[in-house]
Amino acid sequence: MVKKIFLSIFITSALSVTAATAAALLSSSEGIGAVILFAVVILLITCLSAFLTACKIVRPIKNIDPTQPRFRKVYKELSPLLDRLKKQNGRVNRYMAELTDSREQFSLITESMKDGIVIVDPKTIILSCNSAAFQLLGVPPLTEGQSIYALSNDEPFRRCIQDAMGGLRSEIVISTDMGDRKVIASPASISDAINGIVVFIMDVTEEQALEKMRREFTSNVSHELKTPLTTIYGISDMLANGMVRAENVAEFGGNIRREADRLISLINDIVSLSRLDETDAPRQWEEVELYSLSEEIIDRLSKTAEKKNITAKVTGEKVAVMGDRIILSEVIYNLCENAIKYNKEGGNYTIRISHIPMKAVITVTDTGIGIPEEHLDRIFERFYRVDKSRSQKIKGTGLGLSIVKHGVGYHKGTVRAVNSDEGMVFIVELPIKNTDE
Ligand code: ADP
């Protein structure tokens, strides 16, 4: 601006000097040198004065603050321009405030997420990344401007990102020291051009463990069902072909019956477990009084107990919990059945019902063979039987205690097993009032 004003003043002054000089030259041919010198001096002075004038005019304009009304009074001519500037300024400030607001809101939302979210540009540079993303992958905090490969440089992760960059939604599970993580990379494209990708990172440790358990369960069930069926098939085949002597038929028949019994218990246990696995099944919550329920169960098991001369009793107090009666009776039944199965001839077992703040406690104590300490951690696993040779003589499926654990978990309670001087002690704690009621 200074330059333009300077030029206009300078050109106007220079033209007047040139015109005056030309007039002087035309009127007298003498003293041309003096006239030229005079013209040059005048031009220089014009030049300096034009520059100073231009600066003087422009200086206050440079300092104009369109938001201050006092400037309007000074420069009335600039008023429309200042108005427009003020409006524009207001609009820009509003946009900036909105942008900051939505950015803060976006970061507030993403920061409160348990899953990681990373937005990446087409050159794999991070545009936005929440804390969960780097925490889940156990890497130091990342900032915008870093490459997404700072999260992980493993080949599967790179391939997942590259696939998404190529327009394909890609999904992988990676194992870290902290657990299993699912990474989903999704391309963001407008009219076929990839504008970037959005990467989600989730903790799937529990899901993966459940999936593994389900696979193992299916293979164990098939194995456990196949064994008695193969025996039944073999024996009945021999009977059908007349390969068994008449005096042995009863014994072979007994074997078939034993294996069929085993199949029935196995199927019953599997049905109980799958019922507990059905998380969507409607809950039959009701008030269940544990003392009388325990008495009922002792009664149901009395015949089995009599065969080993085992005595049983319920002690403690009447405590009621909100829960599913069938599942709670399965829990106590399985603990008592084990207290008989793994007890000595002539032994005993006791169910004690008591309560601690907000919780009911069921303690089943027996005088049996106990469980070696090193097995205590695993007895609640599906199909786990302590020392196959010792358990072989005692019928069982290896599912009883997992039904107990699952049933107790269904009521948001806990179960633990400890050895006592005499035998085993199983302690179940159940919330008296369930939050899911
Ligand atoms: P099972 O059908 O074999 O009894 P469980 O899941 O009920 O299966 O029990 C798992 C294992 O824990 C059993 O095989 C047994 O070795 C051990 N066990 C369970 N309860 C007792 C107990 N009261 N005393 C001694 N050992 C027990």
Side-chain angles (χ1 to χ4, degrees), residues 384-399:
Y384 191 81
R385 302 201 76 202
V386 176
D387 179 6
K388 293 252 168 179
S389 64
R390 139 185 140 142
S391 306
Q392 225 141 45
K393 283 177 254 141
I394 307 167
K395 280 195 285 180
T397 58
L399 291 175

Side-chain angles (χ1 to χ4, degrees), residues 330-387:
E330 265 174 15
V331 167
I332 303 175
Y333 186 94
N334 275 294
L335 290 175
C336 294
E337 196 186 31
N338 281 351
I340 299 170
K341 272 199 305 193
Y342 301 102
N343 217 322
K344 311 189 272 271
E345 182 74 32
N348 65 65
Y349 74 94
T350 306
I351 311 172
R352 185 179 147 71
I353 306 296
S354 57
H355 80 277
I356 53 174
M358 312 297 285
K359 283 179 183 170
V361 186
I362 309 167
T363 314
V364 180
T365 322
D366 66 45
T367 52
I369 55 175
I371 299 174
E373 286 294 321
E374 66 271 24
H375 292 278
L376 284 181
D377 277 352
R378 301 201 55 194
I379 50 170
F380 294 99
E381 287 174 21
R382 294 178 182 195
F383 293 108
Y384 191 81
R385 302 201 76 202
V386 176
D387 179 6

